[in-house]
Amino acid sequence: LLGARPLLASTVMGLPVRGGLRAEGGARGAALHSANRVPPARTTREWEEATWRRARRRVLALGGHQSECTTSAGPSEGGFERIEGVSRPAVALGKFNALHLGHRELICRASRMGQPCLLSFSGMSKILGRVSRPPLTATVDRDRVLRGWSDAMANGSQPKEVVIPFKDVRHLQPEDFVKVLVYEMGASGIVCGENYRFGYRAAGDASLLSELGAKHEIPVCVVDLVETPRGGGAPGAGGEEQGPRAISSSRISNLLAEGRMGAIAEMLGREYRLVVGCDDILRGARGGGGRSLSVPLESFRNLVPGPGTYPVSVVASGDERTTADCAGPGIAGTVRVGESDAILECSDDLDLEGEALLCMDFT
């Protein structure tokens, strides 16, 4: 129609988009058509991005009131920012609690599409009313693990972690979530596992993500679940069957409760590391000294194995922010985990002066 601008989307986040004009005739219509046509140098995706940004600004200007959006389009406070320090961020989606071999495969695939970024969400347990518990990989230990994965990346770079408050995305419909990734955060590619779900009330799955990626001209890679070759170690007390088993954080948590550290190491691709702050040790340690130390379980920064006695190698870090500088052979010892305490017995004296973190690698 003369004077009508192409309409890319009738709504964005439930808001009407002024993407078209009333048909006009004569010279006025021709002038409107000339002023409002899509410039040849601007792609459909660029128009879609501009339309999305205008709608988002309008929602934020309105204070993000639910009445101005779709039932799922709760905007973040102030909008989402582009991923800093990365030119072509390829986003791997997941919870990344354990940083296991399945997660590494996601990040490796992302590295083939751009600079790999792990995108996860904070505050999910509290909002969803779930029981909160310590992570499988301590926060201060994540940098060490990701550095160790750099050699496996296609571009040799260390993966970057990006964390978004869950409250900012929980109401987004699947397509709105993809638009945030593409148009606001600047993702150049998206990677997820075959069982990944996203969007309001987990309405989207990996298949839908692929469809939305094609619609918004961004590559999406869906990765098969990674399996252990031998089923995760020897059978447990329940006589579980041997054979390949999918790696997952929930499975690792179950194995940890059973004390099956060999099976966990197979799924992580490294020894399980337990971390405790030296200040916490000084405040909470009871008895012992020199080569022996008793630490309350609540002092540890990550999930503690089930009751039992385990061989460990003990190292310390002088940096309270990361364990990445822990190098060299550790002190051999054992840790006996009880109902409330973990008793560490070492083959040599422990000197924690000037140290910030104590790490126990389960050998």
Side-chain angles (χ1 to χ4, degrees), residues 161-210:
E161 287 206 79
V162 180
V163 180
I164 297 176
F166 181 63
K167 65 181 178 62
D168 290 350
V169 298
R170 66 174 302 195
H171 291 299
L172 292 179
Q173 290 283 12
E175 185 165 8
D176 288 336
F177 176 66
V178 171
K179 288 179 178 179
V180 165
L181 295 180
V182 178
Y183 303 134
E184 297 200 42
M185 302 186 72
S188 63
I190 303 173
V191 179
C192 72
E194 62 178 283
N195 61 348
Y196 186 73
R197 302 198 68 90
F198 66 104
Y200 186 59
R201 294 187 175 179
D205 58 12
S207 177
L208 178 59
L209 185 60
S210 295

Side-chain angles (χ1 to χ4, degrees), residues 224-296:
D224 293 338
L225 298 179
V226 176
E227 297 180 337
T228 56
R230 296 182 289 106
E240 80 178 50
E241 297 179 2
Q242 292 296 282
R245 293 291 299 273
I247 297 173
S248 68
S249 294
S250 58
R251 176 152 172 73
I252 292 174
S253 295
N254 293 335
L255 292 171
L256 194 66
E258 299 172 7
R260 296 171 57 190
M261 309 311 293
I264 292 172
E266 186 177 0
M267 293 187 174
L268 295 177
R270 64 185 185 277
E271 295 171 340
Y272 187 78
R273 170 170 285 190
L274 193 59
V275 181
V276 62
C278 290
D279 285 345
D280 295 329
I281 293 176
L282 295 176
R283 284 197 300 267
R286 294 188 286 272
R291 300 186 181 187
S292 178
L293 194 63
S294 175
V295 183

Side-chain angles (χ1 to χ4, degrees), residues 206-228:
S207 177
L208 178 59
L209 185 60
S210 295
E211 294 176 12
L212 293 173
K215 178 178 178 179
H216 294 281
E217 302 178 10
I218 185 169
V220 173
C221 176
V222 178
V223 180
D224 293 338
L225 298 179
V226 176
E227 297 180 337
T228 56

Side-chain angles (χ1 to χ4, degrees), residues 34-347:
S34 175
N36 292 286
R37 70 176 183 271
V38 178
R42 203 171 191 185
T43 66
T44 300
R45 175 170 170 174
E46 288 172 335
W47 272 105
E48 182 79 12
E49 178 174 357
T51 300
W52 167 256
R53 289 183 177 279
R54 286 196 299 271
R56 288 279 289 166
R57 284 197 296 269
R58 180 184 171 194
V59 171
L60 294 175
L62 292 170
H65 294 157
Q66 192 71 19
S67 61
E68 301 295 337
C69 310
T70 64
T71 57
S72 68
S76 66
E77 297 177 0
F80 297 90
E81 297 181 354
R82 298 186 86 83
I83 299 175
E84 297 181 354
V86 181
S87 58
R88 295 179 59 250
V91 176
L93 302 173
K95 294 181 180 178
F96 302 109
N97 182 4
L99 291 180
H100 53 60
L101 291 179
H103 295 148
R104 189 180 73 167
E105 181 62 22
L106 292 179
I107 303 167
C108 285
R109 296 292 185 92
S111 72
R112 301 173 190 173
M113 307 166 77
Q115 295 296 311
C117 297
L118 296 73
L119 179 62
S120 55
F121 309 101
S122 62
M124 288 186 67
S125 297
K126 182 178 180 180
I127 291 175
L128 298 178
R130 298 173 181 171
V131 176
S132 180
R133 60 181 181 179
L136 287 165
T137 297
T139 302
V140 292
D141 196 38
R142 296 178 70 86
D143 183 56
R144 175 187 71 95
V145 176
L146 294 177
R147 286 189 189 185
W149 286 356
S150 296
D151 291 342
M153 301 298 111
N155 49 25
S157 63
Q158 179 177 337
K160 178 183 179 69
E161 287 206 79
V162 180
V163 180
I164 297 176
F166 181 63
K167 65 181 178 62
D168 290 350
V169 298
R170 66 174 302 195
H171 291 299
L172 292 179
Q173 290 283 12
E175 185 165 8
D176 288 336
F177 176 66
V178 171
K179 288 179 178 179
V180 165
L181 295 180
V182 178
Y183 303 134
E184 297 200 42
M185 302 186 72
S188 63
I190 303 173
V191 179
C192 72
E194 62 178 283
N195 61 348
Y196 186 73
R197 302 198 68 90
F198 66 104
Y200 186 59
R201 294 187 175 179
D205 58 12
S207 177
L208 178 59
L209 185 60
S210 295
E211 294 176 12
L212 293 173
K215 178 178 178 179
H216 294 281
E217 302 178 10
I218 185 169
V220 173
C221 176
V222 178
V223 180
D224 293 338
L225 298 179
V226 176
E227 297 180 337
T228 56
R230 296 182 289 106
E240 80 178 50
E241 297 179 2
Q242 292 296 282
R245 293 291 299 273
I247 297 173
S248 68
S249 294
S250 58
R251 176 152 172 73
I252 292 174
S253 295
N254 293 335
L255 292 171
L256 194 66
E258 299 172 7
R260 296 171 57 190
M261 309 311 293
I264 292 172
E266 186 177 0
M267 293 187 174
L268 295 177
R270 64 185 185 277
E271 295 171 340
Y272 187 78
R273 170 170 285 190
L274 193 59
V275 181
V276 62
C278 290
D279 285 345
D280 295 329
I281 293 176
L282 295 176
R283 284 197 300 267
R286 294 188 286 272
R291 300 186 181 187
S292 178
L293 194 63
S294 175
V295 183
L297 299 186
E298 62 267 20
S299 296
F300 289 99
R301 305 285 183 90
N302 55 324
L303 207 56
V304 180
T309 301
Y310 308 92
V312 294
S313 177
V314 182
V315 292
S317 170
D319 189 342
E320 64 180 7
R321 300 167 300 176
T322 178
T323 65
D325 65 347
C326 294
I331 300 175
T334 60
V335 60
R336 186 169 71 253
V337 178
E339 294 298 328
S340 60
D341 294 72
I343 300 175
L344 176 63
E345 299 279 353
C346 294
S347 61

